[in-house]
Amino acid sequence: MSVNSSQKAIEMVGVNKWYGPLQVLKGIDLDVSRGEHIVLCGPSGSGKSTLIRCINHLEEIQQGRISVNGTELSQKGTNADHIRRDVGMVFQQFNLFPHLTVLENCMLAQRRVRKTSAAEAKDKAMRHLERVHIAEQAQKYPAQLSGGQQQRVAIARALCMDPKIMLFDEPTSALDPEMVKEVLDTMISLADGGITMICVTHEMGFARAVAHRVIFMDRGEIIESAKPDAFFSNPSHERTRAFLSQILNH
Ligand SMILES: Nc1ncnc2c1ncn2[C@@H]1O[C@H](COP(=O)(O)OP(=O)(O)OP(=O)(O)O)[C@@H](O)[C@H]1O
């Protein structure tokens, strides 16, 4: 797992965000290096999803700066499309188009956004479906697949856009336990390929296996950020210890 710490993939400086009167991000400072893998954890409602959704302007921030691969996201998101070219996102609920086949799901954005030819889009879709071991399901519709298979399609679909950064928002939390491993294995092999990754998850085995850094958030703030060994064996903050004992004993 190589990290190029001289080059920043993501830079967040003094980011504050409110939903009405509720401040959900409080002074977030975060640098992510190219090739770095970050696992973001914390209690429900601590702002994890909001933080990663701000990176590609699915949410607007009110204060602070966010840059992606050296391009600063404008406050109103006028250059969000440019930023999103580099950023793939995978959600808890897969978000596949139900009326399109697996193959069509993987071709759509390539055709619409990149104006790729049908043959090229199909070729790339099949390559990524093979990469996530699901090429044989290409002609099926999402509803005909298991949750784990749908999530692997969602990952393949994101990869078809050649993202430099992948954001995962609790990608396994809607899955039956027996399907979690197949999705985590896919993500581990993706991490081995050197892509920059931020993953919101409570899968601490995954964090130990791939994370360069584990970040703990609580009530809109980054409380702790450490390498996995230190994070798990010797967390420095009481709130991190309480959170870890809760999830590890669950
Ligand atoms: N669209 C919205 N409008 C108003 N409040 C919101 C909205 N989205 C999130 N919130 C609130 O913002 C806070 C942070 O939510 P967020 O989803 O980022 O937390 P989280 O740490 O990802 O939680 P979870 O682990 O439960 O997904 C919560 O209090 C939530 O209720």
PDB file of all heavy atoms in Angstrom, residues 19-20 22 24-25 42-51 59 92 169-170 200 202, ligand 1:
ATOM      1  N   TYR A  19     -27.243  22.080   9.333  1.00  0.00           N
ATOM      2  CA  TYR A  19     -28.567  21.820   8.765  1.00  0.00           C
ATOM      3  C   TYR A  19     -29.513  22.670   9.588  1.00  0.00           C
ATOM      4  O   TYR A  19     -29.792  22.328  10.748  1.00  0.00           O
ATOM      5  CB  TYR A  19     -28.966  20.351   8.900  1.00  0.00           C
ATOM      6  CG  TYR A  19     -28.254  19.403   7.961  1.00  0.00           C
ATOM      7  CD1 TYR A  19     -27.441  18.387   8.460  1.00  0.00           C
ATOM      8  CD2 TYR A  19     -28.425  19.488   6.579  1.00  0.00           C
ATOM      9  CE1 TYR A  19     -26.809  17.496   7.603  1.00  0.00           C
ATOM     10  CE2 TYR A  19     -27.803  18.604   5.721  1.00  0.00           C
ATOM     11  CZ  TYR A  19     -26.993  17.616   6.238  1.00  0.00           C
ATOM     12  OH  TYR A  19     -26.382  16.737   5.395  1.00  0.00           O
ATOM     13  N   GLY A  20     -29.966  23.789   9.059  1.00  0.00           N
ATOM     14  CA  GLY A  20     -30.769  24.719   9.864  1.00  0.00           C
ATOM     15  C   GLY A  20     -29.950  25.133  11.072  1.00  0.00           C
ATOM     16  O   GLY A  20     -28.795  25.518  10.937  1.00  0.00           O
ATOM     17  N   LEU A  22     -28.796  23.202  13.371  1.00  0.00           N
ATOM     18  CA  LEU A  22     -27.944  22.107  13.870  1.00  0.00           C
ATOM     19  C   LEU A  22     -26.585  22.105  13.164  1.00  0.00           C
ATOM     20  O   LEU A  22     -26.509  21.909  11.950  1.00  0.00           O
ATOM     21  CB  LEU A  22     -28.654  20.766  13.605  1.00  0.00           C
ATOM     22  CG  LEU A  22     -27.898  19.498  13.994  1.00  0.00           C
ATOM     23  CD1 LEU A  22     -27.780  19.377  15.508  1.00  0.00           C
ATOM     24  CD2 LEU A  22     -28.591  18.270  13.408  1.00  0.00           C
ATOM     25  N   VAL A  24     -23.503  20.300  12.102  1.00  0.00           N
ATOM     26  CA  VAL A  24     -23.155  18.875  11.973  1.00  0.00           C
ATOM     27  C   VAL A  24     -21.682  18.645  11.665  1.00  0.00           C
ATOM     28  O   VAL A  24     -21.175  17.552  11.889  1.00  0.00           O
ATOM     29  CB  VAL A  24     -24.031  18.151  10.929  1.00  0.00           C
ATOM     30  CG1 VAL A  24     -25.448  18.024  11.429  1.00  0.00           C
ATOM     31  CG2 VAL A  24     -24.005  18.829   9.584  1.00  0.00           C
ATOM     32  N   LEU A  25     -20.984  19.645  11.138  1.00  0.00           N
ATOM     33  CA  LEU A  25     -19.530  19.557  10.995  1.00  0.00           C
ATOM     34  C   LEU A  25     -18.929  20.777  11.667  1.00  0.00           C
ATOM     35  O   LEU A  25     -19.351  21.913  11.407  1.00  0.00           O
ATOM     36  CB  LEU A  25     -19.115  19.492   9.513  1.00  0.00           C
ATOM     37  CG  LEU A  25     -19.576  18.273   8.723  1.00  0.00           C
ATOM     38  CD1 LEU A  25     -19.095  18.357   7.268  1.00  0.00           C
ATOM     39  CD2 LEU A  25     -19.107  16.958   9.354  1.00  0.00           C
ATOM     40  N   GLY A  42     -17.550   6.305  13.992  1.00  0.00           N
ATOM     41  CA  GLY A  42     -18.101   7.179  15.022  1.00  0.00           C
ATOM     42  C   GLY A  42     -19.561   6.863  15.231  1.00  0.00           C
ATOM     43  O   GLY A  42     -20.170   6.169  14.406  1.00  0.00           O
ATOM     44  N   PRO A  43     -20.136   7.373  16.317  1.00  0.00           N
ATOM     45  CA  PRO A  43     -21.539   7.054  16.609  1.00  0.00           C
ATOM     46  C   PRO A  43     -22.496   7.571  15.543  1.00  0.00           C
ATOM     47  O   PRO A  43     -22.138   8.466  14.771  1.00  0.00           O
ATOM     48  CB  PRO A  43     -21.805   7.774  17.944  1.00  0.00           C
ATOM     49  CG  PRO A  43     -20.514   8.287  18.425  1.00  0.00           C
ATOM     50  CD  PRO A  43     -19.536   8.265  17.295  1.00  0.00           C
ATOM     51  N   SER A  44     -23.681   7.014  15.548  1.00  0.00           N
ATOM     52  CA  SER A  44     -24.722   7.461  14.634  1.00  0.00           C
ATOM     53  C   SER A  44     -24.989   8.951  14.844  1.00  0.00           C
ATOM     54  O   SER A  44     -25.084   9.416  15.983  1.00  0.00           O
ATOM     55  CB  SER A  44     -25.989   6.647  14.926  1.00  0.00           C
ATOM     56  OG  SER A  44     -26.999   7.039  14.072  1.00  0.00           O
ATOM     57  N   GLY A  45     -25.059   9.668  13.733  1.00  0.00           N
ATOM     58  CA  GLY A  45     -25.347  11.101  13.818  1.00  0.00           C
ATOM     59  C   GLY A  45     -24.125  11.965  14.058  1.00  0.00           C
ATOM     60  O   GLY A  45     -24.246  13.185  14.211  1.00  0.00           O
ATOM     61  N   SER A  46     -22.935  11.374  14.052  1.00  0.00           N
ATOM     62  CA  SER A  46     -21.735  12.179  14.353  1.00  0.00           C
ATOM     63  C   SER A  46     -21.263  13.005  13.162  1.00  0.00           C
ATOM     64  O   SER A  46     -20.377  13.845  13.307  1.00  0.00           O
ATOM     65  CB  SER A  46     -20.596  11.275  14.861  1.00  0.00           C
ATOM     66  OG  SER A  46     -20.318  10.250  13.943  1.00  0.00           O
ATOM     67  N   GLY A  47     -21.811  12.734  11.968  1.00  0.00           N
ATOM     68  CA  GLY A  47     -21.478  13.571  10.810  1.00  0.00           C
ATOM     69  C   GLY A  47     -20.612  12.885   9.766  1.00  0.00           C
ATOM     70  O   GLY A  47     -20.131  13.539   8.830  1.00  0.00           O
ATOM     71  N   LYS A  48     -20.447  11.586   9.870  1.00  0.00           N
ATOM     72  CA  LYS A  48     -19.556  10.855   8.952  1.00  0.00           C
ATOM     73  C   LYS A  48     -20.043  10.940   7.508  1.00  0.00           C
ATOM     74  O   LYS A  48     -19.286  11.268   6.595  1.00  0.00           O
ATOM     75  CB  LYS A  48     -19.444   9.370   9.377  1.00  0.00           C
ATOM     76  CG  LYS A  48     -19.075   9.165  10.820  1.00  0.00           C
ATOM     77  CD  LYS A  48     -19.052   7.711  11.207  1.00  0.00           C
ATOM     78  CE  LYS A  48     -20.380   6.970  11.093  1.00  0.00           C
ATOM     79  NZ  LYS A  48     -21.415   7.403  12.057  1.00  0.00           N
ATOM     80  N   SER A  49     -21.328  10.599   7.305  1.00  0.00           N
ATOM     81  CA  SER A  49     -21.876  10.661   5.937  1.00  0.00           C
ATOM     82  C   SER A  49     -21.801  12.072   5.407  1.00  0.00           C
ATOM     83  O   SER A  49     -21.422  12.298   4.255  1.00  0.00           O
ATOM     84  CB  SER A  49     -23.347  10.250   5.908  1.00  0.00           C
ATOM     85  OG  SER A  49     -23.488   8.934   6.251  1.00  0.00           O
ATOM     86  N   THR A  50     -22.167  13.009   6.237  1.00  0.00           N
ATOM     87  CA  THR A  50     -22.154  14.405   5.794  1.00  0.00           C
ATOM     88  C   THR A  50     -20.750  14.795   5.357  1.00  0.00           C
ATOM     89  O   THR A  50     -20.567  15.424   4.305  1.00  0.00           O
ATOM     90  CB  THR A  50     -22.647  15.323   6.933  1.00  0.00           C
ATOM     91  OG1 THR A  50     -23.943  14.882   7.344  1.00  0.00           O
ATOM     92  CG2 THR A  50     -22.723  16.765   6.482  1.00  0.00           C
ATOM     93  N   LEU A  51     -19.756  14.403   6.134  1.00  0.00           N
ATOM     94  CA  LEU A  51     -18.376  14.772   5.789  1.00  0.00           C
ATOM     95  C   LEU A  51     -18.016  14.256   4.400  1.00  0.00           C
ATOM     96  O   LEU A  51     -17.542  15.020   3.545  1.00  0.00           O
ATOM     97  CB  LEU A  51     -17.395  14.227   6.843  1.00  0.00           C
ATOM     98  CG  LEU A  51     -15.948  14.683   6.714  1.00  0.00           C
ATOM     99  CD1 LEU A  51     -15.248  14.641   8.076  1.00  0.00           C
ATOM    100  CD2 LEU A  51     -15.131  13.882   5.727  1.00  0.00           C
ATOM    101  N   GLU A  59     -23.457  17.638  -0.538  1.00  0.00           N
ATOM    102  CA  GLU A  59     -23.913  18.574   0.494  1.00  0.00           C
ATOM    103  C   GLU A  59     -23.081  19.851   0.376  1.00  0.00           C
ATOM    104  O   GLU A  59     -21.883  19.778   0.087  1.00  0.00           O
ATOM    105  CB  GLU A  59     -23.698  17.998   1.906  1.00  0.00           C
ATOM    106  CG  GLU A  59     -24.378  16.676   2.169  1.00  0.00           C
ATOM    107  CD  GLU A  59     -25.889  16.763   2.261  1.00  0.00           C
ATOM    108  OE1 GLU A  59     -26.417  17.890   2.371  1.00  0.00           O
ATOM    109  OE2 GLU A  59     -26.531  15.711   2.205  1.00  0.00           O
ATOM    110  N   GLN A  92     -24.762   3.006   1.019  1.00  0.00           N
ATOM    111  CA  GLN A  92     -25.298   1.872   1.775  1.00  0.00           C
ATOM    112  C   GLN A  92     -26.355   1.101   0.969  1.00  0.00           C
ATOM    113  O   GLN A  92     -26.378  -0.120   0.953  1.00  0.00           O
ATOM    114  CB  GLN A  92     -25.928   2.446   3.054  1.00  0.00           C
ATOM    115  CG  GLN A  92     -26.414   1.428   4.021  1.00  0.00           C
ATOM    116  CD  GLN A  92     -26.955   2.097   5.290  1.00  0.00           C
ATOM    117  OE1 GLN A  92     -26.721   3.281   5.546  1.00  0.00           O
ATOM    118  NE2 GLN A  92     -27.670   1.332   6.059  1.00  0.00           N
ATOM    119  N   ASP A 169     -19.877   4.870   1.741  1.00  0.00           N
ATOM    120  CA  ASP A 169     -20.699   5.263   2.886  1.00  0.00           C
ATOM    121  C   ASP A 169     -21.421   4.034   3.446  1.00  0.00           C
ATOM    122  O   ASP A 169     -22.475   3.645   2.957  1.00  0.00           O
ATOM    123  CB  ASP A 169     -21.709   6.336   2.461  1.00  0.00           C
ATOM    124  CG  ASP A 169     -22.347   7.012   3.663  1.00  0.00           C
ATOM    125  OD1 ASP A 169     -22.031   6.616   4.808  1.00  0.00           O
ATOM    126  OD2 ASP A 169     -23.146   7.941   3.462  1.00  0.00           O
ATOM    127  N   GLU A 170     -20.842   3.436   4.435  1.00  0.00           N
ATOM    128  CA  GLU A 170     -21.380   2.227   5.076  1.00  0.00           C
ATOM    129  C   GLU A 170     -21.820   1.186   4.039  1.00  0.00           C
ATOM    130  O   GLU A 170     -22.990   0.783   4.000  1.00  0.00           O
ATOM    131  CB  GLU A 170     -22.535   2.590   6.013  1.00  0.00           C
ATOM    132  CG  GLU A 170     -22.092   3.578   7.082  1.00  0.00           C
ATOM    133  CD  GLU A 170     -22.991   3.597   8.312  1.00  0.00           C
ATOM    134  OE1 GLU A 170     -23.435   2.509   8.709  1.00  0.00           O
ATOM    135  OE2 GLU A 170     -23.230   4.669   8.854  1.00  0.00           O
ATOM    136  N   VAL A 200     -16.544   5.030   5.270  1.00  0.00           N
ATOM    137  CA  VAL A 200     -17.289   5.082   6.529  1.00  0.00           C
ATOM    138  C   VAL A 200     -17.749   3.663   6.816  1.00  0.00           C
ATOM    139  O   VAL A 200     -18.511   3.077   6.036  1.00  0.00           O
ATOM    140  CB  VAL A 200     -18.526   6.007   6.409  1.00  0.00           C
ATOM    141  CG1 VAL A 200     -19.352   5.952   7.693  1.00  0.00           C
ATOM    142  CG2 VAL A 200     -18.106   7.434   6.102  1.00  0.00           C
ATOM    143  N   HIS A 202     -18.041   0.464  10.203  1.00  0.00           N
ATOM    144  CA  HIS A 202     -17.699  -0.021  11.539  1.00  0.00           C
ATOM    145  C   HIS A 202     -17.089  -1.415  11.452  1.00  0.00           C
ATOM    146  O   HIS A 202     -17.000  -2.111  12.457  1.00  0.00           O
ATOM    147  CB  HIS A 202     -18.944  -0.007  12.433  1.00  0.00           C
ATOM    148  CG  HIS A 202     -19.377   1.392  12.749  1.00  0.00           C
ATOM    149  ND1 HIS A 202     -20.609   1.731  13.194  1.00  0.00           N
ATOM    150  CD2 HIS A 202     -18.687   2.559  12.653  1.00  0.00           C
ATOM    151  CE1 HIS A 202     -20.682   3.047  13.368  1.00  0.00           C
ATOM    152  NE2 HIS A 202     -19.522   3.568  13.035  1.00  0.00           N
TER     153      HIS A 202
HETATM  154  N1  LIG B   1     -30.615  16.356   5.001  1.00  0.00           N
HETATM  155  C1  LIG B   1     -30.561  16.579   6.322  1.00  0.00           C
HETATM  156  N2  LIG B   1     -31.320  17.518   6.893  1.00  0.00           N
HETATM  157  C2  LIG B   1     -31.265  17.774   8.233  1.00  0.00           C
HETATM  158  N3  LIG B   1     -30.470  17.122   9.078  1.00  0.00           N
HETATM  159  C3  LIG B   1     -29.689  16.149   8.579  1.00  0.00           C
HETATM  160  C4  LIG B   1     -29.690  15.821   7.171  1.00  0.00           C
HETATM  161  N4  LIG B   1     -28.808  14.820   6.962  1.00  0.00           N
HETATM  162  C5  LIG B   1     -28.277  14.536   8.162  1.00  0.00           C
HETATM  163  N5  LIG B   1     -28.807  15.319   9.134  1.00  0.00           N
HETATM  164  C6  LIG B   1     -28.430  15.319  10.563  1.00  0.00           C
HETATM  165  O1  LIG B   1     -27.038  15.613  10.615  1.00  0.00           O
HETATM  166  C7  LIG B   1     -26.411  14.859  11.630  1.00  0.00           C
HETATM  167  C8  LIG B   1     -25.252  14.080  11.015  1.00  0.00           C
HETATM  168  O2  LIG B   1     -25.791  13.102  10.145  1.00  0.00           O
HETATM  169  P1  LIG B   1     -24.877  12.081   9.347  1.00  0.00           P
HETATM  170  O3  LIG B   1     -25.789  11.235   8.513  1.00  0.00           O
HETATM  171  O4  LIG B   1     -23.786  12.802   8.679  1.00  0.00           O
HETATM  172  O5  LIG B   1     -24.257  11.222  10.536  1.00  0.00           O
HETATM  173  P2  LIG B   1     -23.561   9.800  10.502  1.00  0.00           P
HETATM  174  O6  LIG B   1     -22.445   9.876  11.470  1.00  0.00           O
HETATM  175  O7  LIG B   1     -23.234   9.429   9.105  1.00  0.00           O
HETATM  176  O8  LIG B   1     -24.710   8.871  11.065  1.00  0.00           O
HETATM  177  P3  LIG B   1     -25.115   7.345  10.734  1.00  0.00           P
HETATM  178  O9  LIG B   1     -23.964   6.501  11.231  1.00  0.00           O
HETATM  179  O10 LIG B   1     -26.366   7.133  11.525  1.00  0.00           O
HETATM  180  O11 LIG B   1     -25.314   7.258   9.250  1.00  0.00           O
HETATM  181  C9  LIG B   1     -27.483  14.009  12.267  1.00  0.00           C
HETATM  182  O12 LIG B   1     -27.944  14.669  13.421  1.00  0.00           O
HETATM  183  C10 LIG B   1     -28.572  13.962  11.208  1.00  0.00           C
HETATM  184  O13 LIG B   1     -29.842  13.811  11.798  1.00  0.00           O
END
